[in-house]
Amino acid sequence: MSLLRVENLTVALPPGADRAHAVEGISLTLEAGEILCVVGESGSGKSITANAVMGLLPKGLPVKSGALELLGQDLRGLASEELRKLRGDRMAMIFQEPMTALNPLMRVGDQIAEALQVHGAGGNAAARVQELLAAVNLPDPAAIAKSHPFRLSGGQRQRVMIAMALALEPALLIADEPTTALDVTTQMQILRLIREIQSRRGTGVLFITHDFGVVAEIADRVAVMQHGRIVEQGNAAQVLNAPEHPYTKALIAAVPKGAAERDLPPPAPELLRVLGLRKTYSRGGWFSGRVSVPAIQDADFSLARGETLGVVGESGSGKSTLARCIVKLVVPEAGEIRFDGTDLRPLSRAGWKPYRSRVQMIFQDPYASLNPRRLVGEAIAEGPITHGLPRAEALDRARELLALVQLDPSAMARYPHEFSGGQRQRIGIARALAMRPELLIADEPVSALDVSVQAQVLALLADIRKKFGLTMLFITHDLRVAAQICDRVAVMSRGAIVEMGPTSEVFANPRHAYTQALLASIPGRGWTAPAAA
Amino acid sequence: MADFWRRYRRNKGAVVGLVVLILVVIMAATAPWLFPGSPWDMASAPFMPPGEMGMWLGTDSLGRDVAAGIAHGARISLLVGAVSTVAALSVGVTLGAIAGYLGGFVDDVVMRFTEFFQTIPSFVLAILLVAIFTPTIGSVVAAIAIVSWPPVARVVRAEFLSLRSREFVQAAEVLGKSRIAIVLGDILPNALSPIIVLASLMVASAILLESALSFLGLGDPNLMTWGFLIGSGRSVIRLAWWMSVFPGLAIFVTVLSLNLVGEGLSDALNPRLARGRA
């Protein structure tokens, strides 16, 4: 008897959606002590599958047909009260967003104890809570149990969520993208923890992810989903190294390849030099002392014309602040930003204006970076118009640029909400290029995109860079992406650049301990994606 | 636009409100033809109950037609509501935009100034202003505008604060657009929905305020208003109920329909919030 059996599951979408079924004819089995990874891009139906098993589907998405069995017991026929008893006890779930999954007003220990009490196991809750917190490798469980969630980091909260999910030793653990919101080093720790607990207790894990690196790290078996169907299923080694379905092949081919050997560009004159840049955020009020947090400490680097420098680091390392300082969205308090020989830092708003056309930026979130009430053509043309180009000429330029970023010219007269995330990011790139910049700052331009779209946008950026001889400062948290596109990389940690050098050198021989830790945490680093056939 | 209308129509109350409101506007516009002559003139015998001697809604203690008073009063009520709302919006949006966009010290100064107005009960302040500047239609409109801009400023400031940090506004900064162009072209159009909803509710409360001032005898003495009708009828309400009840109903229906319209606008402009209500 399998731990979990899903047979021919079909879940309907409300009428008027882009397809009839959220998932259609899905069959999966999970044995005890096994990790099954369900992989797919956003909208492929992988979370719906998990929620169907837990009985957590919203009303608008009814299960139409198929069987769901946990340890031989039919889940579909159960009344909601019986299902509730199973949840937490026999099957448990970890969610994506650890920041919002805990009750902010309740101590962490009480929340875990509550999970025990609900299922009548609250007898020695206090002792069990500490055991559980110790089991998820949290230091000082007694102190953590007494803390409120806001005192814990994202990784710590996710550990608390796991402790809570494991409180009643469920036979099935469903993890819905549990590491997507976490930094790479934390992600690696959580993956190891899930692996360890699963092998110690023989729990079956249904692990949902979009990242093939994570799959390579953790999976025993893999199911690949596309448009609500499973297109390929099999052993991890087999699917990863010898994918059969064209979609799986395409997905694996889109995984950033890591450090490719590349020739360093020939020495070129310097375009940007940043010297001793410093930015401190401080907060505090009348009654408490001011607290200051250094966001950037004495950053020094230079960029030669035509070069791409990657700035990598985890969240809070100051890499985005660095990018924003250079374009004066954030005002640094000390240092020099020499662009083509002129220090930009002391310039006023008016003094900056001529440089606005020479330095442009691409933003992270394609859903937030376009004005929802402005036509795409206007959005691309407004920069040049602001700088005095006649309107007709600016619109012509916008049309050319849309072709360059592979969008139809009819996009000119449409609003941003009619486009997908990848298309919007292309529009954002066209808007930046319309200014004919020399320096392009890209702040995590692909981190909000699915892996196949990410590959297309990266290819587009590489192409444009060559065509226009652009100099680029590329901010990213994803080392694999940095390795693929950057000539040199700078590694940031807690506001300081700890290591900088040619990409292949940094990846092959990291000198700083932090860089070494980062590289060791790249998920699936032991796996090399097979070359696209 | 068609989409907007489809979402608006989904709220039945809002459609009823809109129809009633249009009827009130038509009544105000056609008052000089429906009831020619001044509403202050004697039309019949005093204290005529509704329906007698061709007086649909009866006459008051001086024999004036109540129906004529309501129709002509609608002109003043709607006018005061609309003009004072426009005035309050222009002050509130300007101050809110400045505070929200510039932030920091300017924000502090503007918000303390706003709070200064909010600490005084608005009706008391309105009475005070009208009493000082002698009751004319201009001073009534000014007084209502002065007491009703602070909420606008607060709403606009909150919207601007959150929109200012959005990436598309940062992108506009990086393109080198001027502050004015960013505020008018990028931020304000995205902050319009709550302003429109708030404005429809402000018209309703302005009509109420004006009526309350007229009721207390602080309206423009030369103009017939709903509040004045209720005020002049209150001393004889047991003798001639129609003198107070019909103008009261007019206020009630107009204010209610404005509120319904406001709710419908809010549903149509924020479709995601409306879905849960059904």
Side-chain angles (χ1 to χ4, degrees):
Chain A
M1 186 175 61
S2 303
L3 170 61
L4 174 73
R5 200 170 67 82
V6 177
E7 192 79 47
N8 249 329
L9 177 76
T10 299
V11 175
L13 277 178
D18 58 346
R19 59 176 195 253
H21 299 108
V23 298
E24 197 171 352
I26 288 216
S27 298
L28 289 171
T29 52
L30 176 66
E31 306 297 332
E34 188 182 47
I35 298 184
L36 171 64
C37 273
V38 178
V39 208
E41 298 189 285
S42 48
S44 62
K46 51 193 196 303
S47 288
I48 298 285
T49 311
N51 286 337
V53 173
M54 289 296 282
L56 291 176
L57 287 178
K59 274 206 189 84
L61 305 172
V63 175
K64 271 177 92 178
S65 61
L68 289 166
E69 274 177 21
L70 181 71
L71 291 163
Q73 188 181 13
D74 178 22
L75 294 176
R76 274 191 73 195
L78 289 184
S80 60
E81 183 58 18
E82 290 166 69
L83 197 57
R84 191 182 66 75
K85 282 193 189 128
L86 282 182
R87 280 202 290 262
D89 192 14
R90 304 312 308 149
M91 54 183 186
M93 191 156 173
I94 321 170
F95 298 91
Q96 175 171 354
E97 228 356 295
M99 299 321 236
T100 53
L102 289 166
N103 179 344
L105 294 178
M106 207 168 157
R107 287 172 204 280
V108 161
D110 296 343
Q111 297 194 46
I112 300 176
E114 192 183 32
L116 290 165
Q117 280 149 13
V118 165
H119 291 279
N124 53 348
R128 275 288 284 146
V129 165
Q130 299 211 2
E131 254 175 66
L132 284 164
L133 289 173
V136 293
N137 303 338
L138 279 168
D140 198 357
I144 297 249
K146 287 199 203 103
S147 317
H148 282 98
F150 74 89
R151 295 200 179 277
L152 308 181
S153 70
Q156 286 176 321
R157 292 186 208 197
Q158 199 58 296
R159 281 164 202 265
V160 169
M161 287 303 298
I162 294 174
M164 200 187 291
L166 293 174
L168 291 137
E169 314 214 336
L172 169 66
L173 179 66
I174 297 179
D176 187 358
E177 304 248 14
T179 59
T180 306
L182 305 175
D183 281 325
V184 272
T185 48
T186 323
Q187 160 167 295
M188 188 48 82
Q189 291 162 7
I190 297 285
L191 290 178
R192 285 203 186 115
L193 176 70
I194 291 179
R195 199 57 161 141
E196 179 201 319
I197 288 173
Q198 173 267 343
S199 59
R200 194 158 21 127
R201 305 191 180 201
T203 318
V205 180
L206 184 65
F207 195 103
I208 303 207
T209 182
H210 66 278
D211 187 337
F212 268 98
V214 170
V215 175
E217 202 63 44
I218 200 170
D220 295 317
R221 284 197 305 120
V222 185
V224 183
M225 288 190 72
Q226 182 194 19
H227 302 322
R229 293 167 190 274
I230 293 183
V231 295
E232 182 162 1
Q233 193 168 176
N235 284 327
Q238 184 202 332
V239 174
L240 287 171
N241 297 322
E244 276 169 14
H245 193 277
Y247 179 68
T248 318
K249 283 183 190 164
L251 274 185
I252 289 179
V255 173
K257 286 297 176 305
E261 275 302 318
R262 65 169 79 229
D263 303 327
L264 282 182
E270 187 177 83
L271 181 65
L272 177 75
R273 173 157 207 98
V274 171
L275 272 174
L277 193 71
R278 196 179 307 157
K279 171 72 196 172
T280 311
Y281 285 112
S282 63
R283 74 192 140 80
W286 296 357
F287 303 111
S288 55
R290 294 190 80 74
V291 185
S292 47
V293 185
I296 305 175
Q297 309 174 28
D298 297 319
D300 288 330
F301 65 88
S302 76
L303 256 173
R305 256 178 214 283
E307 183 189 39
T308 298
L309 174 67
V311 179
V312 296
E314 304 194 312
S315 55
S317 62
K319 55 191 193 308
S320 274
T321 308
L322 182 66
R324 286 173 153 68
C325 278
I326 294 169
V327 292
K328 215 184 182 183
L329 283 173
V330 169
V331 181
E333 64 247 5
E336 265 181 62
I337 303 169
R338 289 205 161 275
F339 177 80
D340 206 7
T342 318
D343 186 5
L344 297 180
R345 194 177 73 87
L347 291 185
S348 67
R349 204 181 164 90
W352 240 101
K353 196 166 174 191
Y355 292 97
R356 288 290 180 202
S357 57
R358 303 177 65 186
V359 184
Q360 271 302 303
M361 185 154 173
I362 306 172
F363 292 84
Q364 173 173 6
D365 184 354
Y367 292 92
S369 60
L370 295 171
N371 185 342
R373 305 212 178 220
R374 180 162 291 139
L375 293 173
V376 166
E378 301 281 335
I380 299 174
E382 73 173 339
I385 292 174
T386 304
H387 287 262
L389 196 71
R391 196 182 152 75
E393 243 173 275
L395 286 173
D396 282 344
R397 192 188 282 185
R399 217 164 283 128
E400 280 165 34
L401 283 165
L402 276 178
L404 181 75
V405 298
Q406 294 144 27
L407 285 173
D408 197 78
S410 68
M412 292 283 288
R414 286 156 72 189
Y415 285 98
H417 70 87
E418 299 173 52
F419 296 89
S420 70
Q423 290 172 323
R424 288 184 201 208
Q425 200 57 291
R426 288 165 194 273
I427 297 169
I429 292 172
R431 175 177 61 190
L433 290 180
M435 303 290 276
R436 308 248 160 103
E438 292 159 57
L439 172 63
L440 189 62
I441 297 172
D443 184 12
E444 302 254 14
V446 295
S447 62
L449 306 174
D450 272 330
V451 59
S452 57
V453 182
Q454 181 175 331
Q456 293 163 9
V457 172
L458 285 176
L460 174 67
L461 279 174
D463 185 41
I464 295 173
R465 188 169 78 99
K466 218 177 290 161
K467 210 174 273 173
F468 294 90
L470 280 177
T471 311
M472 200 148 75
L473 185 66
F474 193 97
I475 315 283
T476 182
H477 70 279
D478 191 332
L479 293 152
R480 293 169 290 179
V481 169
Q484 188 174 333
I485 198 162
C486 303
D487 302 317
R488 290 193 302 140
V489 287
V491 180
M492 278 190 87
S493 167
R494 293 178 193 180
I497 295 178
V498 295
E499 183 161 359
M500 184 157 48
T503 309
S504 48
E505 215 173 290
V506 171
F507 275 66
N509 305 304
R511 275 194 300 264
H512 194 273
Y514 179 73
T515 318
Q516 288 162 3
L518 267 186
L519 287 170
S521 306
I522 297 181
R525 68 203 176 292
W527 166 64
T528 330
Chain B
M1 194 63 207
D3 200 38
F4 171 85
W5 177 234
R6 191 176 49 76
R7 286 198 301 262
Y8 183 89
R9 257 185 339 202
R10 219 181 290 156
N11 186 334
K12 295 283 174 288
V15 177
V16 174
L18 187 63
V19 170
V20 172
L21 196 63
I22 289 171
L23 290 177
V24 173
V25 171
I26 291 173
M27 175 175 81
T30 57
W33 294 276
L34 284 178
F35 301 99
S38 167
W40 298 96
D41 291 342
M42 243 177 102
S44 180
F47 295 114
M48 275 294 131
E52 279 181 36
M53 296 187 59
M55 299 287 117
W56 303 344
L57 302 180
T59 60
D60 70 359
S61 47
L62 293 173
R64 295 178 292 219
D65 185 356
V66 174
I70 289 175
H72 285 266
R75 301 165 71 88
I76 306 305
S77 288
L78 292 180
L79 184 76
V80 168
V83 175
S84 65
T85 299
V86 169
L89 279 182
S90 54
V91 177
V93 170
T94 310
L95 287 179
I98 290 172
Y101 181 72
L102 293 178
F105 180 70
V106 179
D107 181 30
D108 275 346
V109 170
V110 174
M111 280 342 286
R112 293 305 84 76
F113 179 67
T114 310
E115 277 158 16
F116 169 76
F117 278 86
Q118 289 197 303
T119 50
I120 307 169
S122 57
F123 188 56
V124 175
L125 181 57
I127 291 178
L128 190 72
L129 290 169
V130 175
I132 292 172
F133 294 108
T134 66
T136 62
I137 185 146
S139 67
V140 169
V141 166
I144 293 174
I146 286 170
V147 302
S148 47
W149 67 265
V152 185
R154 301 201 79 103
V155 166
V156 172
R157 167 182 175 267
E159 286 290 317
F160 268 58
L161 274 180
S162 84
L163 287 168
R164 185 184 57 162
S165 57
R166 293 276 288 278
E167 283 187 346
F168 70 84
V169 176
Q170 298 189 343
E173 297 270 1
V174 174
L175 287 178
K177 291 176 75 175
S178 67
R179 290 199 182 103
I180 298 277
I182 291 174
V183 166
L184 295 182
D186 290 293
I187 307 185
L188 194 58
N190 286 293
L192 270 187
S193 320
I195 299 177
I196 290 173
V197 173
L198 189 63
S200 70
L201 301 177
M202 280 168 64
V203 175
S205 60
I207 290 176
L208 278 179
L209 260 177
E210 188 278 333
S211 302
L213 286 172
S214 300
F215 177 82
L216 294 178
L218 289 167
D220 190 320
N222 303 315
L223 294 169
M224 178 62 76
T225 68
W226 291 342
F228 166 80
L229 285 172
I230 302 177
S232 65
R234 77 176 195 283
S235 52
V236 290
I237 190 163
R238 302 228 285 206
L239 199 67
W241 55 268
W242 56 90
M243 283 172 56
S244 310
V245 167
F246 291 116
L249 275 179
I251 295 173
F252 170 73
V253 167
T254 311
V255 170
L256 180 67
S257 61
L258 276 164
N259 278 298
L260 289 173
V261 168
E263 196 177 303
L265 284 175
S266 155
D267 284 1
L269 294 168
N270 306 308
R272 257 171 305 162
L273 294 181
R275 213 166 290 157
R277 220 175 284 160

